[in-house]
Amino acid sequence: QDNVDIMKSTGTRILLTASPQTIFKRLESDTTRPLLKKGNKLENIEKILSDRASKYEQAADIVVDTDSKSVQEIVEGIAKVL
C-alpha cells in the first residue's frame, strides 16, 4: 500500500492490460523473466494476473486494454483520455 500511496501522490497511473494469451505471445521468446522460467509459462501468467489484478486496478486512474492494438493505437487512446 505504501507504494500505491507514493504513486498516487506523483501523478496519473495508467494500467495497460492484456489477456494472458496476448501476454504469452508477447513474451514467448523472452527468457529474462524469472517468474516465467519454470513450469508452464501461460499458467504462470494466468496466476500472476489473478494474484495481482485487483491491486493493480485499485491503484490505476485509467485502464487501457491493449489486446489486438498496435503501440500507436494504445498511445492515441491514452492521449485521448489525458
Side-chain angles (χ1 to χ4, degrees), residues 26-52:
R26 291 176 181 169
L27 298 177
E28 204 164 12
S29 61
D30 187 330
T31 60
T32 64
R33 307 214 177 226
L35 295 177
L36 302 180
K37 285 187 176 183
K38 294 181 182 177
N40 182 297
K41 190 179 273 191
L42 179 58
E43 288 176 5
N44 292 344
I45 291 167
E46 290 169 341
K47 172 139 179 43
I48 291 167
L49 288 178
S50 173
D51 292 346
R52 299 179 182 182

Side-chain angles (χ1 to χ4, degrees), residues 10-72:
T10 61
T12 303
R13 286 141 333 275
I14 301 170
L15 172 61
L16 303 176
T17 64
S19 70
Q21 293 77 12
T22 296
I23 295 170
F24 176 80
K25 286 189 339 193
R26 291 176 181 169
L27 298 177
E28 204 164 12
S29 61
D30 187 330
T31 60
T32 64
R33 307 214 177 226
L35 295 177
L36 302 180
K37 285 187 176 183
K38 294 181 182 177
N40 182 297
K41 190 179 273 191
L42 179 58
E43 288 176 5
N44 292 344
I45 291 167
E46 290 169 341
K47 172 139 179 43
I48 291 167
L49 288 178
S50 173
D51 292 346
R52 299 179 182 182
S54 66
K55 292 175 187 167
Y56 290 165
E57 289 167 3
Q58 289 173 1
D61 293 314
I62 300 166
V63 178
V64 177
D65 178 20
T66 65
D67 280 322
S68 302
K69 293 181 183 169
S70 69
V71 172
Q72 185 66 33

